[in-house]
Amino acid sequence: MKSLASGPFAKKEIDHDSKGKVIGIHWRLGDLLTLEEKKPVELDRILQVLITLIKSDPSIKLVQIASDSPLIASKYISRKFATLPVTLLEGEAIDIVKSLSVCDFFVGSNSKISCWITIARYYQNSNLVSFLPKEVMHHINLESNNISSIISY
């Protein structure tokens, strides 16, 4: 089995320049906004994770959001965090995975891409903290029993 820590997921150093730390968010909305049987992760749950992170680490200076509904996602998040810059990440799925896999913190949603990002982060650096909804944690089946850096919300 090929390691995720090679190829496009080769370990990258996170740039801790004067911008400070970065929280990356992947928030799947898209068709979940209209489906009856499935719903997106509620904004309040994501906000609770963000508030906890920002209160615990004042060096966080930027929130980056990737979503299949980027304008809706950024509107909701930036409305709640007017003091932090919120930027949109757009591109192909592999580019989103690469970008969010090197953020200081990651908050995922109920999507395969969020699971891929979490797994890539774990194999790059098992100390990078990722948050996933409890509904998708069963998809994270890593070889190590030490997955304390992956936290359900």
Side-chain angles (χ1 to χ4, degrees):
M1 182 173 156
K2 187 174 179 180
S3 168
L4 284 175
S6 62
F9 300 105
K11 185 172 181 175
K12 299 178 182 95
E13 293 301 315
I14 298 170
D15 182 16
H16 293 287
D17 62 9
S18 60
K19 294 178 186 169
K21 291 184 180 177
V22 176
I23 299 174
I25 300 172
H26 178 258
W27 192 13
R28 179 179 175 217
L29 294 169
D31 63 335
L32 297 181
L33 294 171
T34 57
L35 292 174
E36 300 245 347
E37 65 276 4
K38 291 170 100 180
K39 295 291 174 203
V41 173
E42 298 89 10
L43 175 63
D44 288 345
R45 289 175 63 191
I46 291 174
L47 291 177
Q48 190 58 49
V49 173
L50 292 177
I51 290 167
T52 301
L53 284 171
I54 292 166
K55 282 183 178 178
S56 68
D57 192 338
S59 66
I60 294 170
K61 301 295 182 200
L62 178 67
V63 176
Q64 293 183 328
I65 300 175
S67 177
D68 51 0
S69 300
L71 297 178
I72 294 170
S74 66
K75 180 176 104 178
Y76 285 126
I77 300 292
S78 60
R79 218 188 281 158
K80 297 290 183 176
F81 291 97
T83 60
L84 278 180
V86 175
T87 61
L88 284 176
L89 293 175
E90 294 183 277
E92 298 296 319
I94 189 67
D95 297 321
I96 298 299
V97 172
K98 285 180 192 178
S99 294
L100 292 178
S101 69
V102 295
C103 289
D104 298 285
F105 302 98
F106 172 67
V107 182
S109 62
N110 50 340
S111 73
K112 290 180 183 90
I113 291 177
S114 287
C115 291
W116 297 340
I117 293 165
T118 300
I119 292 167
R121 288 168 59 77
Y122 178 81
Y123 280 109
Q124 285 182 79
N125 179 346
S126 62
N127 294 318
L128 290 175
V129 178
S130 299
F131 296 85
L132 280 180
K134 60 183 178 274
E135 298 88 349
V136 298
M137 287 296 286
H138 66 280
H139 293 297
I140 306 298
N141 186 11
L142 301 171
E143 295 169 2
S144 169
N145 291 329
N146 181 21
I147 57 169
S148 59
S149 62
I150 303 172
I151 301 166
S152 68
Y153 72 92

